[in-house]
Amino acid sequence: MFDVLSDAFSRLPAPPREVVIATAVVALLAVLLRPAWRVMRNFITIAHEGGHALAAVLSGRRLSGIRLHSDTSGLTLSKGRPNGLGMVVTGLAGYITPSLLGLGAAAILGAGRITILLWLLLILLAAMLVMIRNVYGVVSVVAAGAIIFGVSWFGSPQVQGAFAYAFSWFMLLGGVRAVFELQQSRFRRQAPNSDADQIGRLTRVPAIIFVAFFVVVSLASLAFGTRLMLGPVSDLISG
């Protein structure tokens, strides 16, 4: 156990820049290609609903359960006042969580703590699994956890590094696409009960303001995350 903990807390060298760029390309393809996105979006949904759940708990609400569906939608239920700050914070958390998770992962990778990042993800998934209330949700979270565990336990440092960077890129890029899909659905009047619309009804503020907030957070996270993983643009060009 001591050896395991020592390996987990040890600093691993960052992959070569070419590998980091390659993982970014792979993540971008997973986000842009519809067949791949249809599958990979489940990981964005896990982060999205996890964000709702964490915000509900931190704002004093009582978490009832989480459901993940095969169409990549999800639902997080909590008990408490039907209005007020807690509901607003809970509603705001969903769409920004994938991007913030990707940014946090980029910061941890910048410190060389690749294995720690993978273990933290496993802890978050285990905590979320306790609150899952449907079979598809359990299968999705367990599958995600099994992949991360396999990489962290059996993968070489090079494999762990490539996987961790690909994860961070995917969360950053996928977070942006999820927000733009939200507005696309709203524009087509297919999402009258979206997070933004629900918060808008609670606060009497136009829902588009909250969509704009999601866009700003996701794009800013992508920009800062890119800088953390690749360095300044000038360095990238000179490299």
Side-chain angles (χ1 to χ4, degrees):
M1 181 59 68
F2 178 81
D3 291 339
V4 170
L5 292 175
S6 178
D7 291 342
F9 283 93
S10 62
R11 181 185 177 92
L12 297 179
R17 175 166 289 189
E18 293 77 10
V19 174
V20 177
I21 294 175
T23 60
V25 172
V26 170
L28 182 61
L29 291 175
V31 170
L32 293 180
L33 298 179
R34 187 177 297 274
W37 176 246
R38 191 178 297 119
V39 175
M40 297 298 292
R41 199 186 191 286
N42 284 284
F43 297 100
I44 298 295
T45 303
I46 291 174
H48 179 112
E49 298 305 328
H52 280 317
L54 179 60
V57 172
L58 293 179
S59 61
R61 298 182 63 80
R62 182 180 176 185
L63 188 61
S64 300
I66 304 170
R67 300 178 70 88
L68 304 173
H69 304 134
S70 58
D71 62 355
T72 72
S73 65
L75 179 65
T76 299
L77 299 174
S78 60
K79 296 180 180 179
R81 290 180 56 191
N83 49 36
L85 183 60
M87 280 293 293
V88 174
V89 170
T90 300
L92 287 173
Y95 276 98
I96 65 174
T97 295
S99 295
L100 293 180
L101 181 60
L103 179 59
I108 296 174
L109 291 175
R113 308 300 180 181
I114 295 173
T115 306
I116 282 293
L117 170 62
L118 299 177
W119 281 32
L120 286 174
L121 294 176
L122 284 174
I123 292 172
L124 291 174
L125 286 172
M128 186 174 181
L129 183 61
V130 176
M131 299 307 301
I132 297 294
R133 295 293 182 263
N134 67 322
V135 175
Y136 184 83
V138 171
V139 172
S140 298
V141 173
V142 170
I147 293 171
I148 296 173
F149 175 79
V151 171
S152 65
W153 192 262
F154 300 107
S156 65
Q158 293 76 17
V159 171
Q160 291 185 28
F163 179 87
Y165 274 88
F167 169 83
S168 183
W169 284 120
F170 178 74
M171 284 293 150
L172 290 168
L173 294 166
V176 173
R177 173 162 182 174
V179 173
F180 280 91
E181 284 184 342
L182 164 67
Q183 182 54 26
Q184 185 179 49
S185 297
R186 293 187 67 254
F187 181 77
R188 296 174 177 174
R189 301 185 183 278
Q190 297 174 339
N193 293 313
S194 70
D195 291 351
D197 290 283
Q198 292 184 50
I199 303 168
R201 287 192 287 268
L202 284 171
T203 60
R204 299 183 181 179
V205 174
I208 191 63
I209 299 298
F210 299 107
V211 176
F213 170 72
F214 298 153
V215 170
V216 169
V217 172
S218 62
L219 291 179
S221 297
L222 176 59
F224 283 113
T226 299
R227 183 181 178 87
L228 287 170
M229 291 188 286
L230 288 178
V233 175
S234 58
D235 291 349
L236 181 60
I237 294 175
S238 63

